[in-house]
Amino acid sequence: AGCKSGSGGGGSAGGGAVGVDYPRSDTDFWNSYIKYVPQFGKQDGLDLKTTNSENDIAKLTANVQSLMGQGVKGMVLAPQDTAAVAPTLNQLKQKKIPVVTVDTRPDKGDVYMVVRADNRAYGEKACKFLGDTLKGKGKVAMLEGDLASINGRDRTEAFNQCMSQNYPGVKVIGLPTEWKGDVGANKLQTTLAANPDLNGIYMQAGGAFLAPTLNVLKQKGLLVPPGDPKHIAIISNDGIPEELKAIEAGQIDATVSQPADLYAKYALYYVKAAIDGKKFAPGKTDHDSTIVAPRPGLLEDQLPAPLVTKDGTYAGSLKATDPQLWGNQVK
Amino acid sequence: MSHSASAAAGVRPVAAAHHITKRFGVTVALNDVSLTVDDGDIHALVGRNGAGKSTLVSILTGLVPPDSGTVEFGGEPAPPLADREAWRQRVACVYQKLTVIPSLSVAENLFLNRQGRGLISWGSLRRRARELLDAWEVDVDVQAPAERLTVEQRQLVEIARALSHGSRFIILDEPTAQLDGQAIERLFARMRSLRESGVTFLFISHHLDEVYEVCDTVTVMRDARHIVTSPVAELGKEALVTAMTGEATGLIDLGAGRPAPAPGAAPALTVTGLGIPGVFEDVSLTVAPGEIVGLAGAGGSGKMAVGESIVGLRRAARGTVEIGGTTPRPGSVQAALRAGLGFVPQDRHKEGLVPGLSIAENATLTVPERLGRFGLVGSRRRDELGAKAIGDLDIKAAGPEQPVSALSGGNQQKVVMARALAGDPKVLVLMQPTAGVDVKAKETLLGTAAAAAAGGAGVLIISDDLDDLRPCDRVTVLFKGAVVAQMPAGWADHELIAAMEGIRD
Amino acid sequence: MTETQTAMAAPARGRITAPRLARLRDLALVPAIIVIAIVGYFVNPVFLHWDNLVNVLQQQSEISLLVLAEALILICGRMDLSLESTFGLAPGIAAWLVLAPGVTHGVGWLSGAWSIPVTLAIGAVIGWINGLLIVRFRLNGFIVTLGMLIVLRGLLTGISGGKTFFNLPSSMVYLGNAVWLGLPASIWICLVLYALAIVVTGYTRWGRALYAIGGNTDAARAAGIRVDRVLWGTLVLASLLAALGGLLLTGRLASVAASQGNGAIFTVFAAAVIGGVSLNGGKGTIFGAFTGILLLYMIQNVLTLAGVPAQWIGALNGAIILIALIISRITSGQAQE
Amino acid sequence: MTETQTAMAAPARGRITAPRLARLRDLALVPAIIVIAIVGYFVNPVFLHWDNLVNVLQQQSEISLLVLAEALILICGRMDLSLESTFGLAPGIAAWLVLAPGVTHGVGWLSGAWSIPVTLAIGAVIGWINGLLIVRFRLNGFIVTLGMLIVLRGLLTGISGGKTFFNLPSSMVYLGNAVWLGLPASIWICLVLYALAIVVTGYTRWGRALYAIGGNTDAARAAGIRVDRVLWGTLVLASLLAALGGLLLTGRLASVAASQGNGAIFTVFAAAVIGGVSLNGGKGTIFGAFTGILLLYMIQNVLTLAGVPAQWIGALNGAIILIALIISRITSGQAQE
Ligand SMILES: Nc1ncnc2c1ncn2[C@@H]1O[C@H](COP(=O)(O)OP(=O)(O)OP(=O)(O)O)[C@@H](O)[C@H]1O
Ligand SMILES: Nc1ncnc2c1ncn2[C@@H]1O[C@H](COP(=O)(O)OP(=O)(O)OP(=O)(O)O)[C@@H](O)[C@H]1O
Ligand SMILES: [Mg+2]
Ligand SMILES: [Mg+2]
């Protein structure tokens, strides 16, 4: 599409505009990402053109087409549907536009760099923490996401697999919720009625489930600090500021901090590198992560997703007040 | 009839409309119309379909604001439109369009919006409803939803409701169109007795006989204008029709000049032993080509059910219908139409017309095969046929493309007739073909039926309106679902009425 | 005029049992509820425990206010699709106005005490706008409220930036959490409002006017009912109820998610219709609507207790709803087009 | 009967322009489309580039088949909410049947060549079931298809386990990807089907029967139209179109997501109604419906090009739809209740 960037701010350090498609704007996590992107874009001196595909792959395709029409030189996507994005990647490849994907690894097609923290790792970390905390015995409820969401599914599968392998004494009750707080609260309530001896809860999204869960427990008189025999061990996911506060207050035990800031920072870092013609190889990076090559035509920078606990004494965990955590940087 | 005299002596008018003009889009429904209704009168309002009568009624009852002009009650200006309560104290009305609410019980319909203050006591409401209906000899369960009533019963409920308001001024817009002879008589008796107690009526009807029977004064409207107001006694029927139509031509004798049906020809329609349990039993009749046969009966006699069974709108439990030698599948309109039938259904709003479609489309709905081949429809061909129907039936319309919803009642009925005739039927079944239609249109419609018969079709007219039955060569009378009489042409009105009411001599 | 017309009377008399039946229709779902209760017991005896029953009642209490609101509007022969958005937006705006900027990303223009009045006021305003467009400008209600559904949903996403509002003031979460006489306050509120609505729709002029308008608007107008005023009032009332329902849910979850209410309208319609409220107006009762939503939540609860595989819950739930819809239409006796 | 009655004819003559106006209503959205095009150009000149216009046409092509299907049903005076689920389920089942077990989590019972016939057959079967319930059993269409919407959506989640089907056979992705004469095949398919539908609804018996049925079902039946057969046929045809639309999208995305079609019905109704198709049946044209969906997609495209902040896109889009709905109702002249 031979078109000049008419209205845009013109050329920049990278020598062209960069298109960023946000996957959705209705979760806390992605909103933080949306907030970080322009911030880092400015730091890197990039001319950003942004769109929002509202969790709809057809919209993503349309957005990419219109971004290509605007002559972007590189593209950052976060396809929530890893299969359906393949034709789009193909198109971009034909136009020689490098792509960085955030959060998910496409099933097919070439990608310059995948920037993500492994969702399976979230599930595993949560499983290990709960399994250790419960000493391999008990019942845990898992507030799952939406079946149609790859991230939710990865967390669910990894959690289940890890539990059955490492902690066969723990019974998992899976509660699908479509990422909806009220559905989660209702199902948790019902589960508590049926299983008064519940010992643990894994919430796959703190933004959706934190407040509802705490409130259900409060109503049942089960919101008691760790150490109390009635305490239910809770691990959350995402690392939004409220979760960190709840950990400090002793209401929940831990969370897996999803690095929203790093997603934005390194996505733009790599897309700029791509436009500048840099090449990367598998191996350790300068920012505590590893680049791997899961399949040809695609590299993946696996960002760290730290486990957060109150005192940071659990192996490999950070303190809830650690300023490094993105949840503590939100103003 | 001393009331019109007293009116002349300067009694204060109960209601008056001054220089009312009302437009609907480009249609002028009322053009500078003034009307004064004197205290204690029964005042008739007549005019052809679309003359603007019902529009004047809705202005007089505060449902619709006039574009210009004023309304007065007893010399006082009318209350603001929003104050429905004040309007209802001044005027009660039976509208032309039924205003019962089908899902609510009869009792609640009677006392709609005046169920009493605070919490409603359903028991006492039912009692009051029972008393009210007993006075009208309407024998229905007051707890039944109104949708279960027959059309006639609904009409009676409406009348009872309007008369129970205690208003001193009551408007009746075509109240008799759905009633049989006895019910009409009862209505008139009630109107007369209310007049004695000082109630004033504005009465609208297309039956001029009724005007002469109960009314004191008559106002004629034509083309949205007021033409004349006169004491009934001073305006002869000829003059009245002339005022309504604007022409000095009298009514034509429809029976005359039609060739007698050929004797011995195979019948066009043969009905044998038709029956639906509980509705009608063992009805047999034949109609020869060129013959017009009437099927008469009082309300609830089952005559419409017979007609609907013949045309396939309903499925009879027993018996056969033969149309031009073939026996169409019972209960299938399609089969009946293919066998060579054309019909006018009882209620044009329900089964007669598709309001949003044009005259041409409505008139050709039954004959798509004439509009083009391979299922294609040529709009030019269609509009030609539509224009022909407009000419043949004297339909007042802008053109074949005009939607039928924009036509007056009489002209809509003509479109239904055009649809019935579209397939050049061998058998024509007309159910209440002139209900709610003005005198002139009635003449056109019946004349068309006669012309169809003259052209060799067998015509069956099903009606309880004696005017409809006059052109018939013979009339079959139904009473409580059974054939009770056969009357050759030349019957006297009272004979036929007696037979319809089941009185044998 | 003295001949009795027995011929006419006969068919009418034959139908004498009909209104009785119509009244029974209110109870049409009671057998279904009993069946589900029994099935639930066999699936998991916990189902009939007091705690679980209270849970079911509490879980349906918020959305049942939406059902009540929709039922009132349906009885008038109208529709309001935007209720689901009001359910989220009204408490959402209140939260946004009272929460401090920064961590809780509100604007902090009002103090926490304002949250309940603001929520209800927003509900009323939305209802008023719907009324303006539908009643005053005579636009089609389905169309207007479809548009409003999309706009209001977008507004909530806009002000919240898609994030969940946390750390709500205590007045805002009180109703959704309080326990009165051993039962959650939201159950009391739901039951009292339903009881009130049953009395109003059954025994007051205003309530009967709803049925009259739904049955035949012109006739209602002719009978002196102030159709526009009643309709407008009903729309405002319905949005108020939706806002209140949203407030209760907000309280129970101690938060307002940006997606609060999304997709709820399908459940709301299904509940009202299963409960015997007609989409054509003028028919159905508030009690019926209540049995409708109760049944749906009982089914949900049984499915959760049964541990049906996650992927099949949707299909199973849908199939049960479809069957319930079909059965409820068949028992109501009439073909509906 | 030869007296000319000119007096009465006079007021009628005044109405001569009415049908002309009705025809103009078809073009009601054309000015809006032009305005959007101009606004779009000023927002971002890219808007009017050939590539971008082709993109817009292609992006709306799949859902426009849903709009076409819904418009046909609306003209008959019915509704079908389940189309959005058919849009996803029909290709979903086909993919499930042809994909090998294991990685692509299908069952692999059929070879890839079957995928298109199976997709269309599923569509037809769903339409047939809708017809059975609505036409034969005379259940309310809104209710039936609401139930079906939930069930079919649940079924797709069930068979897919919520996962996306990919690695589809080439026959299944062909239509969504092919380019014919320089334009994507889906644009051709969409345009041809619309053109065909315009001819059929305007100039054939079957098409006019739809209007007659929508305008007054009883009258249509009394005119010998086989109402049940036409309705049933239309329901089947509509579901077929939905399945075809789903197939095109599947091809373009080379996959079937478990959520394909979710929520699309709101857009579909908005498009049809903005395009002048009446919810009460018997009114509106296929061309109008096409302008409706085209307008919505142009608006989406302009908002994207304008770089509106993500969180406000929903509200803005909704507001534009609402305004378009209101304007389209006002220009259509009549108060609609
Ligand atoms: N709401 C309306 N919108 C448009 N035109 C209308 C409306 N109401 C009446 N008209 C037109 O106004 C004219 C007068 O109608 P009106 O109903 O008053 O006639 P009428 O004298 O009562 O006729 P009929 O004897 O058939 O009842 C007719 O041409 C009719 O088509
Ligand atoms: N489907 C039905 N089920 C039961 N009774 C019916 C049914 N249809 C008609 N009836 C009754 O059968 C009788 C005959 O009905 P029909 O409409 O044929 O009478 P009619 O002579 O046309 O009366 P009217 O002049 O009042 O219309 C009426 O008492 C009516 O109530
Ligand atoms: Mg009239
Ligand atoms: Mg009858």
Side-chain angles (χ1 to χ4, degrees):
Chain A
C3 53
K4 297 163 205 90
S5 54
S7 59
S12 65
V18 168
V20 181
D21 183 68
Y22 302 133
R24 57 196 306 164
S25 59
D26 55 356
T27 70
D28 293 80
F29 174 75
W30 284 111
N31 269 288
S32 307
Y33 171 76
I34 289 171
K35 221 160 75 192
Y36 283 121
V37 166
Q39 227 166 288
F40 287 111
K42 213 154 153 208
Q43 268 179 30
D44 295 350
L46 291 171
D47 172 18
L48 296 184
K49 299 214 180 293
T50 60
T51 55
N52 183 347
S53 53
E54 293 167 61
N55 208 24
D56 177 350
I57 187 68
K59 245 184 212 143
L60 180 136
T61 311
N63 288 342
V64 168
Q65 282 175 338
S66 92
L67 288 171
M68 283 195 299
Q70 296 175 73
V72 296
K73 294 281 182 296
M75 195 95 67
V76 178
L77 304 177
Q80 300 296 288
D81 187 328
T82 51
V85 75
T88 306
L89 293 178
N90 216 5
Q91 268 184 345
L92 286 164
K93 186 182 174 188
Q94 281 165 12
K95 300 250 162 162
K96 299 206 166 45
I97 299 174
V99 180
V100 174
T101 68
V102 171
D103 190 46
T104 52
R105 178 201 306 156
D107 298 330
K108 269 202 296 199
D110 288 359
V111 175
Y112 181 79
M113 187 67 76
V114 179
V115 177
R116 71 192 288 239
D118 191 354
N119 275 289
R120 295 192 62 89
Y122 299 171
E124 260 160 49
K125 282 186 178 168
C127 150
K128 293 221 168 92
F129 178 82
L130 275 182
D132 291 347
T133 311
L134 301 180
K135 308 203 168 55
K137 266 209 329 273
K139 276 187 193 167
V140 302
M142 169 164 54
L143 293 172
E144 298 172 8
D146 192 336
L147 272 174
S149 138
I150 173 88
N151 289 342
R153 232 164 36 226
D154 275 353
R155 292 172 206 184
T156 305
E157 278 168 11
F159 187 85
N160 282 333
Q161 206 178 0
C162 151
M163 275 294 176
S164 59
Q165 266 172 17
N166 304 328
Y167 308 98
V170 175
K171 186 184 165 212
V172 181
I173 303 166
L175 306 172
T177 64
E178 304 158 40
W179 300 119
K180 281 185 182 157
D182 55 336
V183 179
N186 292 352
K187 293 202 167 164
L188 184 61
Q189 222 178 20
T190 306
T191 306
L192 278 169
N195 306 282
D197 53 343
L198 195 77
N199 314 91
I201 297 174
Y202 171 34
M203 304 186 289
Q204 289 189 357
F209 305 126
L210 177 66
T213 300
L214 293 183
N215 220 33
V216 167
L217 295 181
K218 199 161 103 196
Q219 281 195 344
K220 300 259 168 213
L222 293 172
L223 197 59
V224 291
D228 189 304
K230 266 166 67 186
H231 176 73
I232 294 180
I234 304 176
I235 178 161
S236 186
N237 207 120
D238 283 0
I240 60 171
E242 284 76 10
E243 286 167 58
L244 303 183
K245 267 184 258 151
I247 292 175
E248 274 185 80
Q251 293 174 319
I252 67 174
D253 299 78
T255 188
V256 181
S257 174
Q258 200 173 199
D261 53 341
L262 300 186
Y263 272 23
K265 181 172 176 185
Y266 288 103
L268 294 176
Y269 166 81
Y270 283 118
V271 81
K272 190 169 174 225
I275 294 170
D276 294 343
K278 283 194 199 139
K279 292 266 181 286
F280 291 90
K284 285 266 175 225
T285 67
D286 55 354
H287 48 269
D288 273 348
S289 67
T290 323
I291 293 180
V292 296
R295 62 178 169 80
L298 179 144
L299 292 176
E300 178 168 319
D301 185 354
Q302 294 190 325
L303 299 175
L307 188 72
V308 183
T309 56
K310 186 168 183 181
D311 44 18
T313 50
Y314 182 80
S317 74
L318 296 178
K319 240 169 105 102
T321 48
D322 195 321
Q324 234 184 291
L325 293 170
W326 71 272
N328 285 329
Q329 295 168 3
V330 181
K331 286 285 147 349
Chain B
M1 296 294 135
S2 61
H3 291 269
S4 49
S6 70
V11 182
R12 273 214 317 186
V14 165
H18 300 297
H19 305 290
I20 303 281
T21 296
K22 179 73 193 175
R23 284 168 214 280
F24 292 106
V26 289
T27 311
V28 183
L30 293 173
N31 187 354
D32 194 30
V33 172
S34 297
L35 174 75
T36 307
V37 183
D38 290 327
D39 201 1
D41 241 6
I42 297 183
H43 192 128
L45 182 59
V46 298
R48 301 196 51 185
N49 294 118
K53 304 179 296 292
S54 299
T55 309
L56 186 59
V57 169
S58 42
I59 288 173
L60 279 174
T61 53
L63 278 193
V64 170
D67 294 343
S68 67
T70 54
V71 175
E72 282 177 5
F73 292 104
E76 309 273 316
L81 280 191
D83 192 355
R84 292 291 315 157
E85 214 39 58
W87 279 90
R88 289 201 339 168
Q89 282 160 17
R90 288 164 176 76
V91 53
C93 184
V94 173
Y95 294 95
Q96 183 173 14
K97 247 169 67 184
L98 284 180
T99 59
V100 292
I101 291 168
S103 51
L104 298 187
S105 71
V106 173
E108 193 168 8
N109 266 294
L110 284 170
F111 294 99
L112 197 58
N113 205 32
R114 38 181 196 138
Q115 299 101 327
R117 299 228 158 270
L119 289 193
I120 296 166
S121 154
W122 289 109
S124 82
L125 197 72
R126 277 200 291 275
R127 236 181 0 264
R128 281 156 66 203
R130 188 66 270 155
E131 284 161 16
L132 189 55
L133 289 184
D134 281 345
W136 283 91
E137 295 171 39
V138 185
D139 190 11
V140 297
D141 180 358
V142 294
Q143 279 182 273
E147 64 198 346
R148 290 179 201 272
L149 302 187
T150 64
V151 182
E152 176 176 17
Q153 288 169 333
R154 282 191 210 190
Q155 188 74 50
L156 288 171
V157 166
E158 294 237 22
I159 293 171
R161 174 169 71 182
L163 300 192
S164 72
H165 279 294
S167 308
R168 306 215 337 99
F169 177 41
I170 295 170
I171 302 178
L172 304 169
D173 193 350
E174 296 194 33
T176 56
Q178 308 284 355
L179 300 188
D180 72 0
Q182 295 182 13
I184 292 174
E185 274 314 315
R186 245 177 305 153
L187 171 65
F188 288 174
R190 176 57 66 100
M191 282 169 69
R192 289 191 189 101
S193 82
L194 281 169
R195 177 176 58 189
E196 298 312 321
S197 57
V199 174
T200 307
F201 285 92
L202 183 64
F203 177 83
I204 298 174
S205 174
H206 287 297
H207 294 271
L208 302 184
D209 300 343
E210 294 172 3
V211 172
Y212 286 101
E213 191 181 341
V214 282
C215 299
D216 306 315
T217 315
V218 59
T219 290
V220 181
M221 288 181 65
R222 182 172 81 229
D223 300 341
R225 285 173 204 278
H226 174 264
I227 300 298
V228 64
T229 299
S230 152
V232 168
E234 291 168 22
L235 197 67
K237 192 161 180 175
E238 286 288 318
L240 187 58
V241 171
T242 305
M244 285 168 66
T245 59
E247 299 153 21
T249 48
L251 298 176
I252 301 161
D253 179 6
L254 291 164
R258 194 159 46 81
L269 172 70
T270 312
V271 175
T272 323
L274 210 60
I276 297 177
V279 183
F280 63 89
E281 289 298 342
D282 197 23
V283 172
S284 301
L285 52 84
T286 58
V287 182
E291 193 183 21
I292 305 181
V293 175
L295 182 61
S301 61
K303 59 184 183 303
M304 288 306 153
V306 172
E308 292 182 344
S309 307
I310 293 173
V311 304
L313 282 172
R314 237 185 219 233
R315 203 182 163 139
R318 275 189 292 281
T320 57
V321 173
E322 215 180 294
I323 296 170
T326 61
T327 307
R329 190 161 58 84
S332 161
V333 176
Q334 245 242 332
L337 294 179
R338 221 184 298 127
L341 179 96
F343 72 97
V344 170
Q346 179 184 9
D347 180 347
R348 65 171 168 269
H349 299 294
K350 186 162 178 284
E351 284 147 348
L353 296 167
V354 183
L357 296 185
S358 68
I359 295 171
E361 283 210 62
N362 270 289
T364 58
L365 212 49
T366 49
V367 288
E369 68 279 358
R370 299 199 173 192
L371 303 176
R373 272 183 292 177
F374 313 118
L376 289 177
V377 172
S379 56
R380 174 138 20 101
R381 180 90 187 98
R382 184 174 63 208
D383 288 350
E384 273 167 29
L385 289 176
K388 184 166 173 295
I390 290 176
D392 288 352
L393 284 156
D394 192 21
I395 299 171
K396 300 296 163 296
E401 288 180 43
Q402 186 171 15
V404 291
S405 52
L407 297 179
S408 74
N411 287 308
Q412 288 184 342
Q413 189 69 22
K414 289 179 187 172
V415 175
V416 181
M417 179 67 103
R419 185 178 91 175
L421 292 170
D424 295 327
K426 284 182 277 199
V427 176
L428 196 56
V429 175
L430 311 176
M431 299 177 240
Q432 307 277 41
T434 65
V437 153
D438 71 46
V439 277
K440 210 64 189 173
K442 197 179 227 177
E443 206 180 72
T444 316
L445 287 165
L446 294 174
T448 313
V459 180
L460 178 65
I461 298 180
I462 306 176
S463 177
D464 52 12
D465 182 342
L466 298 191
D467 291 341
D468 291 354
L469 299 171
R470 269 181 237 289
C472 296
D473 296 311
R474 57 195 165 85
V475 175
T476 299
V477 182
L478 223 53
F479 179 70
K480 288 194 197 171
V483 175
V484 292
Q486 297 278 359
M487 311 202 122
W491 37 265
D493 288 6
H494 66 87
E495 284 171 4
L496 187 57
I497 292 172
M500 280 161 63
E501 290 175 3
I503 302 164
R504 309 256 44 200
D505 34 23
Chain C
M1 232 65 14
T2 49
E3 312 91 30
T4 48
Q5 297 189 296
T6 41
M8 269 202 47
R13 277 271 174 257
R15 298 183 206 117
I16 200 155
T17 48
R20 309 284 130 78
L21 262 176
R23 205 142 306 152
L24 275 182
R25 207 159 63 180
D26 282 10
L27 305 176
L29 287 192
V30 174
I33 287 178
I34 294 172
V35 169
I36 290 288
I38 294 171
V39 170
Y41 179 77
F42 281 104
V43 164
N44 190 335
V46 168
F47 180 78
L48 287 186
H49 284 189
W50 176 246
D51 268 10
N52 189 55
L53 294 179
V54 170
N55 283 348
V56 173
L57 274 178
Q58 186 183 9
Q59 286 160 18
Q60 60 91 53
S61 65
E62 302 103 4
I63 208 147
S64 75
L65 295 190
L66 280 188
V67 175
L68 173 57
E70 195 68 70
L72 290 173
I73 295 181
L74 285 176
I75 288 174
C76 296
R78 299 298 190 281
M79 274 193 186
D80 187 349
L81 304 176
S82 68
L83 290 178
E84 70 158 47
S85 297
T86 308
F87 188 74
L89 182 64
I93 290 188
W96 181 63
L97 289 176
V98 302
L99 289 178
V103 192
T104 51
H105 66 276
V107 292
W109 291 340
L110 298 175
S111 82
W114 282 97
S115 51
I116 291 186
V118 167
T119 304
L120 298 181
I122 299 286
V125 167
I126 293 171
W128 187 87
I129 295 173
N130 281 336
L132 184 74
L133 295 173
I134 297 172
V135 177
R136 175 63 54 84
F137 297 154
R138 310 226 165 263
L139 297 166
N140 179 298
F142 184 92
I143 300 172
V144 164
T145 58
L146 173 57
M148 287 293 277
L149 175 141
I150 302 172
V151 174
L152 301 180
R153 187 186 279 179
L155 269 184
L156 180 55
T157 309
I159 58 165
S160 68
K163 290 187 235 178
T164 302
F165 291 106
F166 287 102
N167 291 334
L168 303 177
S170 60
S171 70
M172 202 167 172
V173 296
Y174 172 72
L175 284 179
N177 282 310
V179 174
W180 296 339
L181 307 178
L183 279 183
S186 54
I187 296 183
W188 287 115
I189 293 175
C190 157
L191 293 181
V192 166
L193 286 175
Y194 264 91
L196 217 64
I198 288 170
V199 172
V200 168
T201 53
Y203 298 94
T204 69
R205 264 167 80 167
W206 189 82
R208 299 316 295 172
L210 301 185
Y211 284 91
I213 293 171
N216 182 344
T217 304
D218 289 333
R221 192 170 279 129
I225 292 170
R226 299 177 184 208
V227 171
D228 288 1
R229 190 181 294 191
V230 173
L231 271 180
W232 205 326
T234 307
L235 287 168
V236 170
L237 177 67
S239 288
L240 253 175
L241 284 170
L244 179 60
L247 186 70
L248 293 183
L249 183 65
T250 297
R252 180 152 69 88
L253 305 183
S255 58
V256 190
S259 63
Q260 182 162 315
N262 273 12
I265 202 71
F266 290 122
T267 312
V268 169
F269 268 94
V273 170
I274 293 178
V277 179
S278 161
L279 295 175
N280 303 323
K283 280 183 198 156
T285 64
I286 300 300
F287 178 76
F290 182 72
T291 57
I293 186 68
L294 189 62
L295 183 68
L296 292 189
Y297 268 76
M298 286 174 67
I299 293 171
Q300 288 271 1
N301 189 267
V302 171
L303 289 180
T304 306
L305 288 177
V308 172
Q311 70 202 79
W312 290 106
I313 280 194
L316 213 59
N317 194 20
I320 294 176
I321 291 178
L322 184 61
I323 292 168
L325 284 168
I326 293 173
I327 291 177
S328 76
R329 287 303 82 191
I330 290 172
T331 55
S332 87
Q334 272 150 2
Q336 300 222 345
E337 298 215 31
Chain D
M1 272 346 77
T2 50
E3 316 90 32
T4 48
Q5 296 190 296
T6 42
M8 274 232 26
R13 278 270 171 259
R15 296 185 209 116
I16 199 155
T17 50
R20 306 284 129 78
L21 262 176
R23 206 143 306 154
L24 275 182
R25 207 161 61 181
D26 281 10
L27 305 176
L29 286 192
V30 174
I33 287 178
I34 293 172
V35 168
I36 291 286
I38 294 170
V39 170
Y41 180 76
F42 282 104
V43 163
N44 192 332
V46 168
F47 180 77
L48 286 186
H49 284 189
W50 176 247
D51 272 9
N52 189 55
L53 293 179
V54 170
N55 284 346
V56 172
L57 274 178
Q58 186 182 9
Q59 284 155 22
Q60 60 92 55
S61 65
E62 301 103 4
I63 209 144
S64 74
L65 295 190
L66 281 188
V67 174
L68 173 57
E70 195 68 71
L72 290 173
I73 294 180
L74 286 174
I75 288 174
C76 297
R78 301 298 192 280
M79 276 194 182
D80 187 350
L81 304 176
S82 67
L83 290 178
E84 70 159 46
S85 297
T86 307
F87 189 74
L89 182 64
I93 290 187
W96 180 63
L97 289 177
V98 303
L99 289 178
V103 194
T104 51
H105 65 276
V107 290
W109 290 340
L110 297 175
S111 82
W114 281 99
S115 51
I116 293 187
V118 166
T119 304
L120 299 180
I122 300 286
V125 167
I126 294 172
W128 188 86
I129 295 173
N130 282 335
L132 185 75
L133 295 173
I134 297 172
V135 178
R136 175 62 55 84
F137 297 154
R138 311 225 166 266
L139 297 166
N140 179 299
F142 185 93
I143 301 172
V144 164
T145 58
L146 173 58
M148 287 292 279
L149 176 143
I150 303 172
V151 174
L152 300 180
R153 187 185 279 180
L155 269 184
L156 180 55
T157 311
I159 58 165
S160 69
K163 290 184 235 179
T164 300
F165 293 105
F166 53 97
N167 285 334
L168 301 178
S170 60
S171 70
M172 202 168 171
V173 297
Y174 173 73
L175 284 179
N177 282 313
V179 174
W180 296 340
L181 307 177
L183 278 183
S186 56
I187 297 185
W188 287 115
I189 293 175
C190 156
L191 293 181
V192 167
L193 287 176
Y194 264 91
L196 217 64
I198 289 171
V199 171
V200 168
T201 53
Y203 302 96
T204 68
R205 274 164 81 162
W206 190 79
R208 299 316 295 174
L210 299 185
Y211 284 90
I213 293 171
N216 183 347
T217 303
D218 286 329
R221 193 170 278 131
I225 292 171
R226 299 180 186 208
V227 172
D228 288 0
R229 192 182 294 190
V230 173
L231 272 180
W232 205 327
T234 307
L235 288 168
V236 170
L237 176 66
S239 288
L240 253 174
L241 284 170
L244 179 61
L247 186 69
L248 293 182
L249 184 65
T250 296
R252 182 152 68 88
L253 304 180
S255 58
V256 191
S259 62
Q260 181 162 316
N262 273 12
I265 202 70
F266 290 123
T267 312
V268 169
F269 267 94
V273 170
I274 292 177
V277 179
S278 162
L279 295 175
N280 303 323
K283 278 183 201 153
T285 63
I286 299 300
F287 178 76
F290 182 72
T291 58
I293 186 69
L294 188 63
L295 183 69
L296 292 189
Y297 268 76
M298 285 174 68
I299 293 171
Q300 286 271 0
N301 189 264
V302 171
L303 290 180
T304 306
L305 289 175
V308 172
Q311 69 206 73
W312 290 105
I313 280 193
L316 213 60
N317 194 21
I320 295 176
I321 292 178
L322 184 60
I323 293 167
L325 284 170
I326 292 173
I327 292 178
S328 76
R329 288 303 81 192
I330 290 172
T331 54
S332 87
Q334 273 151 0
Q336 299 222 344
E337 298 213 36

